[in-house]
Amino acid sequence: MLRRKPTRLELKLDDIEEFEGVRKDLESRKKQREEAEVAAGEEAAGIALGTEHKSREQIINDRIGYKPQPKAGVRAAHFGTFEF
């Protein structure tokens, strides 16, 4: 493999201006997103106070779509088979 001298990169004024413009654009988008999240959080807090409180397990089950069904007669089946 041939070795060569490192390539020199020069930073020009146009590059700096472009970088500053992109950075300001990203910062403004971030601020808008944060403001929207704060507004949505306030609405969600108002809704949460109006509804019944759920346990952490119930919230997770709702989020993933899991609806546990109680098993009927599981204990009776186990204890009913023992004879003394």
Side-chain angles (χ1 to χ4, degrees):
M1 181 171 211
L2 297 174
R3 291 188 179 237
R4 63 182 175 97
K5 294 182 180 180
T7 305
R8 184 176 189 143
L9 298 175
E10 294 182 16
L11 190 60
K12 298 179 182 176
L13 185 60
D14 294 337
D15 297 330
I16 296 171
E17 290 173 352
E18 182 180 355
F19 172 75
E20 292 295 327
V22 171
R23 189 178 73 178
K24 287 179 183 178
D25 185 42
L26 289 174
E27 287 177 357
S28 66
R29 287 184 189 175
K30 183 178 177 182
K31 286 180 184 178
Q32 289 176 352
R33 191 176 319 124
E34 288 174 355
E35 291 172 357
E37 288 175 359
V38 168
E42 291 173 355
E43 292 175 3
I47 293 170
L49 292 175
T51 61
E52 64 183 48
H53 297 287
K54 295 183 178 181
S55 70
R56 182 173 183 264
E57 184 178 344
Q58 289 173 333
I59 293 170
I60 292 171
N61 288 345
D62 290 344
R63 186 176 63 226
I64 63 175
Y66 176 67
K67 294 179 175 56
Q69 300 294 328
K71 296 180 181 178
V74 173
R75 287 187 146 180
H78 288 287
F79 291 113
T81 58
F82 292 112
E83 294 181 20
F84 292 103

